[in-house]
Amino acid sequence: MSLRKTAVSGMFWTFGQQFGTQAIGFVISIVLARILIPEEFGLIGMISVFIGIGTSLVNSGLTQSLIRAPDPDQEDYSTVFFFNLAGSIIIYWVLFFTAPFIAVFFAQPALTEISRIYCLTFIISAFSDVQLTRLTKEMNFKLQLTIAIPSLIGSGLLGVFLAYMGYGVWSLVWMGVSQSFLSTVQLWIRTGWTPSLMFNIAKFRYHFKFGYKLTLSGLLDTIFTNIYQIIIGRFFLPAQVGFYTRADSLKQLPVSNISIALNKISYPLFASIQNDDARLKKGYKQIMQMVIFVIAPVLIFMGVLAEPLFGFLFTAKWLPAVPYFQILCLTGILYPLHAYNLNILNVKGRSDLFLKLEIIKKILVVILILVSIKFGILGLIWGQLFASVLAFFINTHYSGKFLKYNAWQQIKDIMPLILLAFVAGVFVWWLDYGLRDYPDIFRLISGGVVGLLIYLGLSLLFKIESFGEFKKIILR
């Protein structure tokens, strides 16, 4: 199969998986948000950083090395499997014994048992990480889709049932654990791969040499991605963590759907042409423009229509999250560009540069948090936006040199798309202002339809290249 056909096929199934699972998960989250209170979501938000740290350590970056390796064999896969499994058990017990300190830090006694149960997902997921990696390397996203959706539906139904029965935050805990369990069982049954009792030290060193830098980078990224939940949870009420977490998760809905789906395709795809800089640059530019073409108007329209959106989906008790969400929508526009620029370093085998950039960015984030926290939660979120803009220039430093495609050239290619989205967003805001006394659903439909028509009309008028590429993919 040609590179283009492989990309199109992969894009179809991975978008199906990403949008399918997110759509189902979104419906489940709406139901849960209407039953549970913000404080209960806030408790899960407080431990999200520890869950993320454990996940990064369990993965150890070795699975990324497997994807990048030209021809990994049974020894490669088995070696990584047993290392990840052993690591997951050690990490779980470390978190098990440190859980009381987490509870003391946030002044929430319930976090001790919540952390100990939720973190069982580390061990459960370690049993299936390699199977999932094999499917990604083979670009078999169709099978991933048919595994992910039943797992999500089953765990979601359990979570909703427990919430209706009055289990509160524990409905979220058991929903997370059951989703990992259902996914792992299916991956073992349906992929047909099982580990052999072997551990090759030489192969471990090969994968670890590449992967440990990604692990350190992932740890830094996890800590600082969740640092706002930590700061808010430490100095503000649990409800505020819930509002922030809800705003961030809704912002991530289009961001993660599009960027993660494309990332699943782009990484193995770019890895296959890692030595052809001309093709690599061309593929990167096309994917970058396409994702901005889709994600910029979605986030801007959602930000403009934030009030009716939160009121309709989550009820009035979640409206305090609206201003957080509007700022985070602006932050999310650049998020995919961070990932793709760093992906170039991975496929080039320069995980050392990846780690170096992560350290620089995290120092910057610490400085901005120290400056902005005096202005409250909104000050912290505005600081997050400023950090995202600066991070774009940092991330493009080395990838721009590899591809001869620097930050300013990238801005030149994406700025017309962002400007068109902002123009369409102004029309949506003007329309919604006149409809502010109408029902939320009417405001959402009217604003969304008008914004989409204006944006597509402007794209056609100005002959935006990404519009043509997007039409071709949809038609295929």
Side-chain angles (χ1 to χ4, degrees), residues 368-388:
L368 287 172
I369 286 176
L370 292 175
V371 172
S372 61
I373 192 172
K374 65 180 69 175
F375 301 104
I377 297 178
L378 286 177
L380 283 170
I381 301 175
W382 278 114
Q384 190 176 351
L385 173 60
F386 187 58
S388 180

Side-chain angles (χ1 to χ4, degrees), residues 75-307:
E75 272 193 324
D76 289 275
Y77 289 120
S78 297
T79 297
V80 172
F81 175 87
F82 285 113
F83 177 78
N84 283 358
L85 181 59
S88 70
I89 295 171
I90 294 171
I91 293 162
Y92 173 76
W93 282 112
V94 169
L95 283 168
F96 183 91
F97 289 112
T98 56
F101 299 102
I102 296 173
V104 170
F105 178 80
F106 288 111
Q108 298 292 329
L111 288 181
T112 298
E113 290 304 314
I114 290 173
S115 301
R116 287 173 171 174
I117 300 299
Y118 206 121
C119 290
L120 285 170
T121 56
F122 301 157
I123 300 175
I124 297 170
S125 297
F127 274 97
S128 59
D129 278 345
V130 171
Q131 286 90 332
L132 194 60
T133 298
R134 285 170 57 87
L135 293 179
T136 299
K137 186 173 181 64
E138 297 164 2
M139 298 191 76
N140 189 350
F141 302 111
K142 180 180 180 179
L143 184 55
Q144 290 188 39
L145 170 66
T146 59
I147 289 173
I149 287 182
S151 304
L152 182 59
I153 292 175
S155 61
L157 290 174
L158 175 63
V160 171
F161 172 75
L162 292 176
Y164 269 117
M165 295 299 292
Y167 282 83
V169 66
W170 286 100
S171 61
L172 302 175
V173 174
W174 287 113
M175 182 174 71
V177 173
S178 62
Q179 184 176 354
S180 294
F181 177 77
L182 291 172
S183 177
T184 294
V185 169
Q186 290 187 84
L187 283 165
W188 268 76
I189 294 172
R190 301 186 61 189
T191 60
W193 183 85
T194 56
S196 302
L197 290 175
M198 55 178 67
F199 190 92
N200 188 304
I201 297 295
K203 288 182 180 292
F204 168 72
R205 287 174 178 168
Y206 170 80
H207 294 297
F208 187 77
K209 183 179 180 181
F210 176 81
Y212 87 90
K213 298 165 189 172
L214 291 183
T215 299
L216 294 177
S217 301
L219 282 174
L220 285 172
D221 188 60
T222 298
I223 292 170
F224 283 86
T225 297
N226 294 281
I227 195 168
Y228 294 95
Q229 282 99 316
I230 297 174
I231 298 296
I232 296 170
R234 181 67 179 82
F235 296 102
F236 301 92
L237 297 173
Q240 299 300 322
V241 184
F243 291 136
Y244 176 84
T245 303
R246 173 60 54 196
D248 189 58
S249 63
L250 185 58
K251 177 265 294 184
Q252 282 295 112
L253 188 64
V255 171
S256 61
N257 274 334
I258 297 169
S259 61
I260 292 176
L262 285 174
N263 197 46
K264 282 185 177 180
I265 303 164
S266 65
Y267 184 62
L269 198 63
F270 288 169
S272 68
I273 55 173
Q274 58 187 281
N275 298 317
D276 189 340
D277 287 347
R279 293 182 72 194
L280 199 56
K281 177 181 177 180
K282 181 180 179 182
Y284 170 74
K285 179 180 176 180
Q286 288 178 336
I287 287 180
M288 178 190 69
Q289 288 180 316
M290 191 173 300
V291 73
I292 293 297
F293 175 78
V294 175
I295 211 167
V298 170
L299 287 174
I300 290 171
F301 295 168
M302 288 175 70
V304 171
L305 298 171
E307 183 184 341

Side-chain angles (χ1 to χ4, degrees), residues 8 11-12 467-476:
V8 171
M11 187 174 293
F12 176 82
F467 180 49
E469 287 292 327
F470 191 73
K471 281 199 305 182
K472 290 178 183 177
I473 289 176
I474 295 298
L475 290 174
R476 287 194 185 94

